[in-house]
Amino acid sequence: MALRSFPIFLNLSIFKRSFKNTSLIRKYSTTSNAIKLSFTQFDPPKLNESHESCPLIILHGLFGSKKNWRSLAKAFTQRLNTRVFTLDLRNHGESPHSEVHNYEVMAEDVVTFMNDHQLKRTVVMGHSMGGKVAMTIALMQVPQIDQLVVVDSAPTNTSISKEFTTYVEVMKKVEQTGVMKQSQADEMMKGYISDINIRQFLLTNLKKDPETEVYKFRIPLDVLGNSLKTLNGFPFDSDRHTFHKSTLFVAGVKSNYIPPKIHPTIKTFFPNSVIVELDTGHWVHSEKPLDFATIVTDFLKKDL
């Protein structure tokens, strides 16, 4: 059977019944605001099309990029015998920038990607900010999603994280200084961010201007800084929006992004969900990649 796309506007009746905010209805009635996302496609060494799993789409977190998932993406192609797409969300990596940065427009970008690549059935996995984007797509009732994986993120409103505000402020200080070496940027950041792993993560966004040789961050710091309050929210309520397909939540117990008190809320939004905990911080997939890959693979394979 030939693949066909599912344009967002075909589901407009669902949004009209569900969304309290009419501006959201108007926003999802067109894909004109969607951004064409940069991506990398990973194919298994010997794709057996007759036994291929649903393609997997991976969405990174705030200040991350598709490159953060390269090793795990390669692993999943072999473990699941499927194509894996790692995406740069808007205002991140190599994707275009926009003044608008919220979960609704990021979800629209991803659905447009699905349609453009004629992905009739998919699994969507997201970490942190990417996890909320993934949940937003699922709760939009986008028909392409067969399964959902959410990594250390929850469908709740949270307070603005002081750490993320600090990250933006420090990166701005680095830019204002006009550093000529990445080591200089790291030295500056060390006074504000003690964790070398977080500094190295943020510094993946630092790029040298070929003309001036001055290092600049490739992400729009003002836009992302101004969006932090929005990103700590969640644009749905469980009375009106649920996703009943198979869903996995992977929590880092040291990060407190998915504490036990949040579990009932998750079950309300996602009745057919399981929650698995790993002894990690917020970057679950990078702290224990082998354990993480096994948990996700076992979960996705059980419904094959």
Side-chain angles (χ1 to χ4, degrees):
M1 180 181 295
L3 298 180
R4 68 188 182 103
S5 60
F6 294 82
I8 295 175
F9 57 79
L10 290 181
N11 297 304
L12 184 56
S13 61
I14 295 174
F15 303 136
K16 286 181 178 178
R17 292 195 302 270
S18 302
F19 281 116
K20 293 179 180 178
N21 187 339
T22 57
S23 67
L24 292 181
I25 297 173
R26 291 194 297 271
K27 187 175 294 183
Y28 281 113
S29 65
T30 176
T31 60
S32 61
N33 295 322
I35 281 176
K36 299 292 186 181
L37 301 177
S38 176
F39 70 96
T40 300
Q41 178 176 335
F42 299 86
D43 296 317
K46 295 181 180 179
L47 178 62
N48 184 339
E49 294 185 0
S50 62
H51 294 89
E52 181 185 8
S53 303
C54 287
L56 172 63
I57 294 175
I58 302 179
L59 310 177
H60 61 78
L62 184 61
F63 307 134
S65 76
K66 61 182 181 291
K67 292 183 178 180
N68 302 145
W69 286 86
R70 182 185 300 159
S71 296
L72 278 168
K74 291 180 179 178
F76 285 129
T77 61
Q78 298 185 43
R79 288 175 178 238
L80 298 170
N81 182 46
T82 193
R83 293 166 290 159
V84 177
F85 299 90
T86 56
L87 275 54
D88 279 336
L89 296 171
R90 63 168 58 198
N91 294 316
H92 288 78
E94 298 173 331
S95 285
H97 295 176
S98 170
E99 291 292 328
V100 183
H101 192 86
N102 57 52
Y103 292 119
E104 295 92 334
V105 294
M106 284 189 280
E108 184 177 358
D109 294 341
V110 177
V111 176
T112 298
F113 174 86
M114 293 179 185
N115 293 337
D116 288 347
H117 290 79
Q118 297 185 320
L119 300 177
K120 186 176 180 181
R121 300 175 60 224
T122 63
V123 176
V124 178
M125 176 166 65
H127 169 247
S128 195
M129 178 187 75
K132 282 193 173 182
V133 175
M135 287 185 279
T136 297
I137 299 168
L139 294 171
M140 285 165 51
Q141 305 300 324
V142 172
Q144 288 102 314
I145 298 186
D146 269 24
Q147 291 171 290
L148 180 68
V149 179
V150 181
V151 187
D152 216 44
S153 187
T156 58
N157 296 315
T158 57
S159 59
I160 297 176
S161 170
K162 293 182 179 179
E163 288 79 8
F164 284 102
T165 301
T166 298
Y167 300 160
V168 173
E169 292 175 350
V170 172
M171 286 188 282
K172 285 184 177 181
K173 289 180 184 294
V174 170
E175 281 203 338
Q176 292 165 1
T177 303
V179 298
M180 306 291 285
K181 295 180 179 179
Q182 184 164 311
S183 59
Q184 293 176 323
D186 182 60
E187 192 61 32
M188 284 188 60
M189 297 172 75
K190 191 182 298 183
Y192 303 89
I193 304 170
S194 59
D195 191 329
I196 187 173
N197 294 315
I198 294 177
R199 296 201 308 272
Q200 289 178 341
F201 169 70
L202 296 175
L203 288 170
T204 59
N205 294 292
L206 192 66
K207 303 297 177 184
K208 181 189 288 188
D209 186 312
E211 295 182 1
T212 65
E213 296 190 350
V214 174
Y215 278 87
K216 297 285 185 180
F217 286 95
R218 64 179 175 180
I219 52 179
L221 296 174
D222 284 335
V223 172
L224 295 179
N226 292 336
S227 72
L228 288 178
K229 184 176 181 179
T230 298
L231 295 179
N232 278 277
F234 192 65
F236 297 95
D237 65 79
S238 58
D239 291 335
R240 293 172 176 265
H241 309 95
T242 54
F243 179 75
H244 290 265
K245 295 181 182 179
S246 182
T247 303
L248 169 67
F249 283 80
V250 185
V253 295
K254 296 176 182 176
S255 75
N256 202 38
Y257 272 68
I258 308 181
K261 65 180 181 181
I262 297 297
H263 293 188
T265 301
I266 290 173
K267 286 291 187 178
T268 303
F269 274 109
F270 304 94
N272 191 23
S273 63
V274 294
I275 302 169
V276 178
E277 296 181 334
L278 276 175
D279 187 24
T280 68
H282 184 49
W283 281 270
V284 181
H285 54 289
S286 61
E287 293 179 45
K288 290 198 173 182
L290 293 179
D291 291 343
F292 175 79
T294 298
I295 289 170
V296 172
T297 301
D298 290 348
F299 171 78
L300 295 180
K301 278 189 171 183
K302 72 179 175 64
D303 286 340
L304 293 180

